Amino acid sequence: MTLEKFVNLLVGERTKISKVTSFHDLLEVVKSCKVKDIGPLTFYDTATRIGAYLKIYPEMIYLHRGTRIGVEKLLDRKIKSDTLERSELPAVFQDPRITCDDIEDILCHLSKLNGGEKKELKGFRKGSC
């Protein structure tokens, strides 16, 4: 029932959604459709899927619970912001072939590693966070 309410609100915003020109604006429209038990990860995932259809992609890294933990492990410090610029990450993330959405997935998977161990990201698959 919750997802159905969320979807109905999104459908009601289709005109606004069709006019967005940036991922950030799209995410804001999606977030405006908030219903109980729908949170930041669902907003981000929904916006990335709609954005892919509209060919609008994230220009920065959006931090929800998993990505925040991953980037805090990577940078060894607390992050208070809800977004992160690619330039704030180590050089390996500066490769333009890696999208901000790819970085979000990597950071989410990093959050699942124990402590600071250097483990392989076994079972890594896009969208599993």
Side-chain angles (χ1 to χ4, degrees):
M1 194 66 154
T2 299
L3 282 176
E4 187 176 329
K5 286 181 186 178
F6 180 59
V7 168
N8 287 333
L9 288 170
L10 282 170
V11 169
E13 296 293 349
R14 66 184 172 273
T15 301
K16 271 189 197 175
I17 290 170
S18 70
K19 293 179 181 178
V20 298
T21 58
S22 73
F23 183 82
H24 180 77
D25 291 344
L26 174 58
L27 183 59
E28 291 302 311
V29 173
V30 172
K31 286 168 36 177
S32 76
C33 298
K34 183 167 178 47
V35 296
K36 187 177 188 281
D37 297 326
I38 300 290
L41 180 57
T42 301
F43 297 145
Y44 178 81
D45 286 347
T46 301
T48 56
R49 283 161 179 79
I50 294 170
Y53 176 77
L54 298 173
K55 296 185 179 11
I56 297 173
Y57 305 99
E59 320 77 27
M60 61 184 83
I61 296 90
Y62 290 83
L63 302 178
H64 52 76
R65 185 172 182 268
T67 54
R68 183 177 310 282
I69 292 168
V71 78
E72 288 177 351
K73 283 182 177 186
L74 179 69
L75 300 178
D76 196 29
R77 64 181 169 91
K78 289 285 184 196
I79 305 294
K80 293 181 182 179
S81 173
D82 290 333
T83 60
L84 197 66
E85 295 292 331
R86 177 193 296 264
S87 61
E88 297 176 69
L89 296 171
V92 68
F93 292 100
Q94 306 311 314
D95 186 327
R97 295 173 295 179
I98 302 171
T99 68
C100 289
D101 191 39
D102 292 334
I103 293 170
E104 186 272 342
D105 279 337
I106 292 166
L107 294 173
C108 194
H109 286 284
L110 284 175
S111 74
K112 296 175 183 179
L113 296 179
N114 295 330
E117 295 177 42
K118 302 284 184 188
K119 288 185 179 179
E120 240 183 277
L121 293 175
K122 293 182 180 179
F124 175 82
R125 60 185 171 78
K126 190 162 179 56
S128 65
C129 280

